[in-house]
Amino acid sequence: ADYSRALEIEKRTLGEEHVLVAKTKNNMGEALRVEGKYEEALQLYQESLNVLVKVLGNSHVLVANTKNNIAGIYLKQDKCEEALQCYTDSLEVKLKVLGPEHADVANTIENIGVIFAQQGKYDLALDKLKEALHIRSHALGNDHVDVGSTQYKMALVYEEKQEYKTALTYCEQAVSKAAKSMGFDHPEVQKRSLVRDRLVSKA
């Protein structure tokens, strides 16, 4: 309701085609996404994107981030090809604006890798995840929790490829980083620990 009121005020004072209006629609879309209202969220994200492209042009990081949000909704709806297209478009902009060594670039590359994994394209998935890992390690440092997140995703892909020893190595690193950052009782650490135990039994 607060966002709706803000949106009405912004549209009256700034007009429909203003960056602040687009940002508010993005925030409303995010709130709906969290509630699981994906179609409504998608509608607001797309309205936001239309304004941002018109006002800022295609090569702006806000445009890229909004495409990322849209891709996330498509993934929830199992529309992998649509999600992949949005992430690819987003990556193109981020590479141009932020450069190839930026952590935000790694986020999008990782998302592309996750889609390939969901499609069973495990070698393509690993190529993207390794690329994301390289960027994150340089941009954030080897001990960063996001580095561990990429390693965990790589462990799952190697498990699918039945390369259990390699999977275990990455999973152990992912557990260690998460535990250091979040503590052993955190649900994410518990989840990764269960996968590690499973891999120990297979390796």
Side-chain angles (χ1 to χ4, degrees):
D2 287 344
Y3 281 135
S4 296
R5 271 203 304 277
L7 183 63
E8 286 312 311
I9 293 166
E10 286 167 0
K11 285 200 291 194
R12 275 204 309 272
T13 54
L14 304 170
E16 295 271 355
E17 291 175 356
H18 194 282
V19 171
L20 279 179
V21 171
K23 283 183 175 178
T24 301
K25 285 187 175 183
N26 225 321
N27 291 336
M28 290 170 73
E30 179 62 15
L32 289 166
R33 183 195 65 78
V34 170
E35 291 174 20
K37 297 175 179 173
Y38 299 130
E39 277 302 328
E40 293 171 59
L42 186 59
Q43 176 69 33
L44 283 164
Y45 284 148
Q46 285 172 332
E47 287 175 15
S48 173
L49 180 64
N50 291 341
V51 173
L52 290 172
V53 168
K54 199 163 191 176
V55 177
L56 302 173
N58 278 304
S59 298
H60 194 284
V61 74
L62 285 177
V63 170
N65 289 338
T66 306
K67 286 183 178 179
N68 259 15
N69 292 342
I70 290 170
I73 297 289
Y74 282 141
L75 269 188
K76 291 287 186 185
Q77 296 175 326
D78 292 323
K79 296 177 180 175
C80 286
E81 287 303 326
E82 289 92 331
L84 186 58
Q85 187 59 58
C86 282
Y87 281 137
T88 304
D89 291 347
S90 174
L91 180 60
E92 193 179 322
V93 174
K94 287 182 178 181
L95 283 169
K96 198 183 296 181
V97 177
L98 302 173
E101 294 295 320
H102 196 282
D104 205 23
V105 168
N107 296 346
T108 303
I109 291 171
E110 181 178 281
N111 289 334
I112 291 170
V114 168
I115 292 177
F116 284 143
Q118 287 179 352
Q119 293 177 324
K121 299 173 182 175
Y122 299 126
D123 290 334
L124 284 175
L126 284 171
D127 285 346
K128 290 299 178 188
L129 292 172
K130 285 174 184 174
E131 194 179 343
L133 181 65
H134 173 80
I135 296 168
R136 280 183 165 172
S137 297
H138 280 77
L140 305 171
N142 278 320
D143 292 329
H144 196 278
V145 68
D146 286 352
V147 172
S149 174
T150 307
Q151 289 170 324
Y152 177 63
K153 290 179 177 76
M154 290 174 70
L156 295 176
V157 177
Y158 277 116
E159 183 182 19
E160 290 293 339
K161 285 168 63 71
Q162 299 183 350
E163 296 180 25
Y164 300 123
K165 282 189 168 61
T166 307
L168 180 59
T169 300
Y170 280 110
C171 195
E172 283 174 337
Q173 292 171 345
V175 170
S176 170
K177 288 178 177 66
K180 198 180 291 183
S181 172
M182 306 172 192
F184 281 102
D185 294 331
H186 193 280
E188 182 62 29
V189 180
Q190 299 293 319
K191 181 177 79 175
R192 293 182 191 184
S193 297
L194 287 172
V195 173
R196 180 194 58 198
D197 295 346
R198 184 173 78 219
L199 290 168
V200 167
S201 71
K202 291 178 176 179

